[in-house]
Amino acid sequence: MTASAPGASPRPPSLTEHLQDVTERLAAARTQEEVFQTVLRPALEGVDAIAGAVLLVDAAGERLELAATQDYEEGAQTIWQAGPLTGNVPAGDALQRGEALFFEEQGELVRTYPALEERSGAVAPVANAVLPMFLDHRPLGTLILDFREPHHFTREERRFLMTLAAQCAIALGRARLMADLQGQLAERTRQIEQEARAHAAFVAFAEAAGTENDVAVLVRQALQLLSHHFPGGAGAYCVREDGRWVGQGWSATLPPELVSTLTAGLDAGFPLLDRMQREKSTVFCDDWSPDDRHIPGTEGYRMIFCSPLTLEGEIHAFLSFARRQAHGPQGWSAQDRTLVRAIGRSLELALERAQQAARLQARRQEAERRSEMLATFAELSRDLVLDTDPYSLIRRTQEVALDLLPAAFSAYFELQGGVWQARTQAGADPDGATDELGAGQPFGAAPHLSGPYQSGEPTYQQEPGPGGRSSVSLPVAVNGQVRGVLTFVLAGPQPWNEEDRAILETVGHQLRLALERAEQTQRLHEQNGELEAFTYSVSHDLRTPVRHIMGFNRLLRGNLGTEIDAKSERYLTVIDDATVRMNTLIDAMLDLSRTARATLKMGPVDLGSLVAEVRSELEAEEEDRAVVWEVAPLPQVTGDRATLHQAAVNLLSNALKYTRTREEAHIRVWAEERPYEWAVFVRDNGVGFDPHYSERLFGVFQRLHRADEFEGTGVGLANVRRIVARHGGTVSAESRLGEGATFGFTLPKQS
């Protein structure tokens, strides 16, 4: 620009300067709006125009759209409006001719285009310039300037305006190109992000496919992978149930009405599914025909696949995915189909793993069930051995069977005066259940009781209908004679399976053995009682003649005085020793009898303190001996402390007695915990015994060593066995000659 003289008004910039300024500013314009702002204001100022506008050709090349205006009154109607590119309009003519149109005089524009004002509903400007804009020889639009007064366009103005229009076209082209590049960059960025999400989903699915046994989890990941790979689509996983395909998983974008349909189940005869079942392979449909779309919510989908998932040769489920428009002209591409088939194979492997896992779990549960049954049977066997009351045995059997069966109630019936009476019950007794089963009814009025009572065989019943119940009646026999009938009622009308029947047969067999053993035990108790009473009486009565022998032997020795010869002295000494020995045996027999007849006072007994107490008593008599004791921690048991103390004395004193020949005695005491009992052992390093005669050790007056070697009556171990037996336990002995001996006993744990 030319500088003004000092004190003079600033000279307005020339058209060349305007053009230079606009050109520099257009270089920085990045958007279409910035181009319009940069061009319109300098154009108006350069030629003194009152307003301006820009009309651009639309993408189809058929219409002109008003893109920008400058200095028109807000809300004012102008003749420059959007409309057809052709049809006798100034902007269209300028583009068709490829030259600028200048209207300098008032009315000249209207005379040239008489319908312009009527069509637009606005008054034409006095003067006007319509400047076409081209880009790469393609019509881009027009730059229009309006004047309030007639205007003669000089050569310089015309050149300025046409150059400005050309610069505007170039800037618009650059802005559009930049916008296209930004759009392409944004689209590519979106595609990269989508591909990254799809890749991450594929990696997650691939990792899970090798290890995941939960099919539902893998199905969710498969649908996520498909959704990332095919944006805008939706899928579902359906399983065959009762001849229909029932949805068990679907995309979050699946229409609600389609979800409802899948939840209710699809007809197996649906055309696409029918084809999938016939071909037993994935069906791809590139153009889903309207005839196939009879399902609410499927409108708008155009592409679909259905991939069958087979298990042991049969289609167990299928995976389906639909897209709203084709992805390229070829529909499902080869790459798409490969991905779908890979997903299908992975899901099939997951189904197989899930089935194998289910089978292993079933086997594990069956093994646990069998172990539980065996443990329960073992506990029942122990309980039945400890108890001798028949009704207590039956009650315990009922409780165990109810734990093992899906039964809710059990009752045991016996005949009394020709009428069935319930003797024991267990479980939740439904209202009137015992009456329904036959309580208080005559023999023939309850066939499900009288039948097994007469036949000796169990009777299984199943009542039909919602209110029906299943029951079984088991005859309870003792020594071949039926004593009563044991009944079990299931919680509902379910059938008795083979496992239930096996449990009942086993329980019934154990109950029969227990009842027979209880009768035998009762008879043995009665016989033992009589024998013990006889033993006590005999032992007590033997004291008098033995005392007489001892007394008369002393009198005889006194009468003979000093005249007694050596042979007579030896005879009298033998009689004395024999009577002392006889008294010792009588005392032992009485102790044995008292042990058997004494009432047991059961309670908690600390075996550790008991053994310590006995050891202290015995060590006082063995002060001159070298004895090494090794006593491990011992448990607390339930028993009679007095008799257990006596048993411990016998066992520990035996250990001390038979280690006298050893320079240093070693005695070890320990206990072992077993599922239903404690086992206590006493081990010594004494002379031992021949194991062939171990059974004789616990018999009365049974000895494996001569009296001149080791003193004793042969009653101590018999006493131990009787004490332990009265506690419900057993005794044992192990040894080899010269290698010491181990004596043991068991005591049952209390429930």
Side-chain angles (χ1 to χ4, degrees), residues 20 51 95 107 284 621 726 735 748:
Q20 182 180 355
L95 289 171
F284 292 93
E621 303 173 3
R726 293 193 68 191
S735 178

Side-chain angles (χ1 to χ4, degrees), residues 656-669:
L656 287 170
K657 180 198 306 184
Y658 291 105
T659 55
R660 283 178 185 166
T661 59
R662 301 296 187 243
E663 184 176 342
E664 185 177 74
H666 288 267
I667 301 174
R668 180 186 174 209
V669 184

Side-chain angles (χ1 to χ4, degrees), residues 87 99 103-104 119 128 288 294 484 514 569 650 659 696:
E99 60 183 29
F103 304 95
E104 299 179 329
R119 184 165 57 239
N128 178 267
W288 197 17
H294 301 303
E569 176 64 27
N650 286 330
T659 55
R696 292 173 50 188

Side-chain angles (χ1 to χ4, degrees), residues 723-737:
I723 291 170
V724 171
R726 293 193 68 191
H727 281 77
T730 58
V731 293
S732 62
E734 294 181 3
S735 178
R736 287 187 180 181
L737 282 173

Side-chain angles (χ1 to χ4, degrees), residues 5 79 84 136 144 269 281 295 322 359 364 369 446 456 471 473 511 538 568 571 639 648 712:
I79 62 172
D136 298 330
I144 301 170
S281 63
I295 305 173
R359 287 174 177 172
R364 189 179 300 110
R369 170 73 171 163
S471 63
S473 301
L511 176 60
V538 168
S568 298
Y571 290 159

Side-chain angles (χ1 to χ4, degrees), residues 427-446:
D429 182 5
D431 294 339
T434 52
D435 294 339
E436 292 181 16
L437 291 172
Q441 298 183 24
F443 178 79

